[in-house]
Amino acid sequence: MGYTTDFVGYVLIDPPLNIEECEYLTAFTQTRRWFRQAGPYVVLDNPAVEEPCESVERYNTPWPGEPSLWCPWRPSLDGTCLAFDGIEKAYRPVEWMRYLISHFVRPDAEASMTMLPEFEQFTFDHIVDGVIVGCRRDTGRMFAIEVASNVVEERVLMRGAPEEDWGPLPYQTAIDTVLPARRRLS
């Protein structure tokens, strides 16, 4: 069924992303990253309405080079940072951070070479720095995603326990109880 990871922290972006970069990266994060004929940079105008796919296998296969079907990092509204977007199952978070920086953010990013119209307003001049700590709920494995001058490293803080030995921590139970109630209020 998969596993859930809790994250705390963020990475700063200097200079901040502009409005076009924020809008594109937000749509990128909200669009399922399946193997579309149109290429890896497709974003949907309305990610809540998925386009049809002729093949279940294709729909469940990420574009080659993209780490998984969903990107867990979203820019803040003002473009000053990237943080966890709150999706329930965030797979390959370190690889996604590397992907975003190398494809869309840093100088000479891969998307800058494509000449696609969606990147005309991108500056490709950003430096990313910060720390995000993750804790996998199935094993308790804790790790830090450390970004320094666009270089992403993962550091294991605690190895955790085998899946069959691990139960929910008190904060996890509290989050699972409180969050659904808060979502209903908004």
Side-chain angles (χ1 to χ4, degrees):
M1 285 289 165
Y3 58 87
T4 298
T5 304
D6 297 311
F7 292 97
V8 64
Y10 54 90
V11 294
L12 294 171
I13 303 170
D14 185 45
L17 300 170
N18 64 39
I19 187 86
E20 292 82 9
E21 291 167 323
C22 285
E23 288 175 355
Y24 175 85
L25 290 174
T26 298
F28 183 89
T29 297
Q30 294 173 332
T31 301
R32 185 181 178 96
R33 309 306 321 148
W34 61 273
F35 192 93
R36 293 175 175 83
Q37 294 292 1
Y41 299 140
V42 171
V43 297
L44 301 177
D45 290 336
N46 183 355
V49 179
E50 185 63 72
E51 75 226 309
C53 179
E54 70 282 353
S55 160
V56 171
E57 181 179 328
R58 175 173 286 236
Y59 185 72
N60 289 317
T61 302
W63 187 269
E66 290 187 342
S68 63
L69 293 170
W70 295 101
C71 176
W73 308 118
R74 186 179 303 176
S76 60
L77 292 176
D78 64 0
T80 59
C81 70
L82 288 171
F84 179 54
D85 77 347
I87 62 174
E88 184 180 355
K89 309 287 187 215
Y91 300 125
R92 309 203 54 199
V94 175
E95 292 86 347
W96 269 118
M97 183 64 71
R98 287 183 182 128
Y99 185 92
L100 290 177
I101 292 169
S102 68
H103 283 258
F104 305 117
V105 177
R106 70 177 170 85
D108 298 319
E110 299 206 22
S112 70
M113 316 296 179
T114 67
M115 307 306 276
L116 292 170
E118 51 263 50
F119 302 120
E120 287 177 2
Q121 299 299 315
F122 274 51
T123 60
F124 301 110
D125 66 346
H126 307 285
I127 304 298
V128 180
D129 292 291
V131 176
I132 299 169
V133 175
C135 181
R136 278 187 51 171
R137 287 190 178 197
D138 60 337
T139 64
R141 179 180 180 272
M142 287 181 58
F143 57 97
I145 301 169
E146 300 173 325
V147 184
S149 297
N150 293 337
V151 176
V152 181
E153 298 292 333
E154 178 180 17
R155 186 165 47 99
V156 175
L157 304 174
M158 293 182 70
R159 287 192 329 263
E163 291 183 40
E164 61 272 10
D165 295 338
W166 200 257
L169 295 170
Y171 85 89
Q172 295 165 342
T173 303
I175 288 172
D176 293 343
T177 303
V178 172
L179 281 182
R182 285 190 181 157
R183 286 188 192 124
R184 283 192 298 272
L185 295 174
S186 18

